[in-house]
Amino acid sequence: MDVSRPAFKCFDDDGRLKRSGTVWTASAHIITAVIGSGVLSLAWAIGQLGWIAGPAVMFLFSFVTYFSSTLLSDCYRTGDPVSGKRNYTYMDAVQSILGGFRFKICGLIQFLNLFGITVGYTIAASISMMAIKRSNCFHESGGKNPCHMSSNPYMIMFGVTEILLSQIKDFDQIWWLSIVAAIMSFTYSAIGLALGIIQVAANGVFKGSLTGISIGTVTQTQKIWRTFQALGDIAFAYSYSVVLIEIQDTVRSPPAESKTMKQATRISIAVTTTFYMLCGCMGYAAFGDAAPGNLLTGFGFYNPFWLLDVANVAIVIHLVGAYQVFAQPIFAFVDKQAAARFPDSDLVSKEFEIRIPGVRAPYKVNVFRAVFRSCFVVLTTVISMLMPFFNDVVGILGALGFWPLTVYFPVEMYMKQRKVEKWSMKWVCLKMLSGGCLVITVVAGVGSVAGVMLDLKVYKPFKTTY
């Protein structure tokens, strides 16, 4: 018995290899998951709300996200917080704690959110590719040529790239992708912040007002819709709850995973909120009412144009990988369902070998996988070409994911896990938090949909030029 004891030290209580994650690795994973393209619209969001409400709303979202994340960290294990059954994903936790109908609703919302994010990323990547072309064109003409161009060719280029990448079977095994994405997201966020500081220094004054964009620059109705939409944009910047349990599953124990995760959440929310505050506030201080919807590509900065190009290249590289990260759960789900539904079909189960010149091992292709994934990417590309409005789409995504995924399910799971008594003070407070966040989600969603409607009035499908 003593001889075999060291072997047990290599495995955790669920038979998987011993997890080695710490507070610092978990914090790094959270920061990597949070800081993404959502940071680009924060200057615009603060511009709609102003110097008082803008930072206040950002602090409010950071607090709600932190609080709901601490509730969610207690749901990693079902039952006992130290020895209960582990839940490896957000969906596993919802299924084992809430089960049934709510599990299906959660799955639907999560997949809609993932689908929407792939559309948003297609739009953002095409705008960045266009910005590189435009900044070079603008520089070459000495500022005389407005350099109008269509986003469609760039969306098609991005779509073709994603069709090729989506055929990689074990995309989740490409471990270095996350590191590259993290470096790229920090690169463009830091460049945006630096350029904002430089612009403020050049202006010699902090632009903006206490109440946000002034009536006159926009109409009274637009001001209301834009204010609501800004809430969705800020919510999108904090939408990472769905990956929190996956990150917690990398953490070693003892101490209990929930304890480590609460510490990691505290550190990462503090870092990201500080970074968001700086990026959003510096962008607004630099441009005031003219703060662009996408900080780096709103063409607020012309010089140094090469630095702007570096930032936009970093965005494109980040989004090429991030698109796959968000699309893969949908692909995996469809593959699993198809295999269960049609186990004897050659189209679903059989793999054909294709020999590629210069590559030793043949590439294995499955007809169903190739067709479905290609159609999925084509659909997201066509939707992006029909609605190429970065801000509005980000606002809708933020609204769609914030209340159900960041607040409702964590609160409901926590109350069931901890057996919180109905109508007790704790129960009432948690229900009030959930209700308040539902109102914010509805308002943000309505504002973002109204933004799309206003844009569609002056927009001709497939004919957008910037």
Side-chain angles (χ1 to χ4, degrees), residues 46-51 208-215 223 284 289:
I46 290 182
Q48 310 315 305
L49 299 167
W51 281 119
S209 67
L210 295 177
T211 54
I213 195 164
S214 49
I215 309 291
K223 168 80 174 167
Y284 182 43
D289 283 358

Side-chain angles (χ1 to χ4, degrees), residues 23-348:
V23 169
W24 300 109
T25 60
S27 301
H29 284 315
I30 295 172
I31 292 166
T32 303
V34 179
I35 294 179
S37 58
V39 75
L40 300 172
S41 61
L42 290 178
W44 182 88
I46 290 182
Q48 310 315 305
L49 299 167
W51 281 119
I52 296 173
V57 166
M58 210 174 279
F59 273 124
L60 175 70
F61 274 99
S62 66
F63 171 74
V64 170
T65 306
Y66 167 69
F67 181 71
S68 67
S69 299
T70 60
L71 299 184
L72 195 56
S73 64
D74 285 329
C75 302
Y76 172 62
R77 287 181 183 269
T78 304
D80 190 274
V82 176
S83 58
K85 178 185 162 288
R86 293 174 188 260
N87 297 306
Y88 302 115
T89 66
Y90 188 95
M91 292 285 287
D92 285 349
V94 175
Q95 186 172 25
S96 71
I97 298 169
L98 299 176
F101 178 70
R102 284 192 281 189
F103 166 66
K104 287 178 182 170
I105 292 292
C106 178
L108 178 66
I109 293 166
Q110 197 170 347
F111 287 133
L112 272 174
N113 204 34
L114 293 171
F115 179 79
I117 287 169
T118 58
V119 172
Y121 281 3
T122 305
I123 298 167
S126 71
I127 293 172
S128 284
M129 286 190 260
M130 233 172 16
I132 297 167
K133 183 84 174 157
R134 282 186 72 193
S135 84
N136 293 342
C137 158
F138 195 85
H139 184 76
E140 283 161 16
S141 68
K144 290 172 189 156
N145 185 349
C147 303
H148 291 302
M149 58 186 70
S150 169
S151 60
N152 291 346
Y154 299 96
M155 287 189 186
I156 292 165
M157 278 165 58
F158 185 80
V160 169
T161 307
E162 294 303 340
I163 285 174
L164 295 173
L165 286 175
S166 66
Q167 305 309 321
I168 298 171
K169 189 183 175 186
D170 298 317
F171 197 85
D172 57 325
Q173 302 300 316
I174 305 174
W175 57 269
W176 48 264
L177 188 80
S178 178
I179 297 165
V180 172
I183 293 166
M184 292 301 146
S185 60
F186 271 109
T187 300
Y188 66 71
S189 303
I191 290 172
L193 174 58
L195 289 173
I197 293 168
I198 292 164
Q199 190 73 34
V200 170
N203 295 342
V205 65
F206 272 68
K207 290 187 177 182
S209 67
L210 295 177
T211 54
I213 195 164
S214 49
I215 309 291
T217 310
V218 291
T219 64
Q220 179 82 48
T221 311
Q222 280 178 314
K223 168 80 174 167
I224 293 166
W225 293 137
R226 281 169 164 237
T227 301
F228 291 167
Q229 191 184 324
L231 298 174
D233 284 9
I234 294 171
F236 179 73
Y238 279 104
S239 59
Y240 74 97
S241 291
V242 285
V243 294
L244 204 72
I245 285 180
E246 279 92 331
I247 293 169
Q248 192 164 340
D249 192 43
T250 66
V251 172
R252 68 178 175 218
S253 64
E257 298 90 353
S258 58
K259 189 179 176 186
T260 306
M261 206 59 191
K262 283 171 187 172
Q263 236 178 315
T265 305
R266 201 158 42 241
I267 294 164
S268 51
I269 292 279
V271 171
T272 48
T273 302
T274 305
F275 195 68
Y276 279 177
M277 245 354 150
L278 286 168
C279 287
C281 292
M282 278 302 165
Y284 182 43
F287 299 109
D289 283 358
N294 183 330
L295 187 59
L296 289 167
T297 55
F299 233 55
F301 311 106
Y302 300 135
N303 277 309
F305 82 101
W306 61 268
L307 189 61
L308 203 57
D309 287 354
V310 168
N312 281 309
V313 167
I315 291 175
V316 174
I317 294 170
H318 175 218
L319 295 181
V320 162
Y323 182 102
Q324 288 300 321
V325 169
F326 285 96
Q328 286 298 321
I330 298 176
F331 296 159
F333 176 76
V334 171
D335 288 351
K336 190 177 171 185
Q337 291 295 315
R341 193 77 55 92
F342 310 105
D344 303 322
S345 169
D346 282 355
L347 284 175
V348 174

Side-chain angles (χ1 to χ4, degrees), residues 338-394:
R341 193 77 55 92
F342 310 105
D344 303 322
S345 169
D346 282 355
L347 284 175
V348 174
S349 57
K350 196 172 180 183
E351 291 192 330
F352 300 92
E353 291 188 351
I354 297 174
R355 299 217 164 262
I356 301 165
V359 179
R360 194 177 295 171
Y363 172 69
K364 291 181 179 178
V365 66
N366 170 276
V367 175
F368 174 78
R369 191 167 66 232
V371 171
F372 172 75
R373 294 182 181 197
S374 299
C375 289
F376 176 89
V377 177
V378 168
L379 181 62
T380 59
T381 307
V382 170
I383 291 172
S384 305
M385 289 160 74
L386 279 169
M387 290 198 318
F389 319 123
F390 179 69
N391 264 62
D392 303 328
V393 170
V394 163

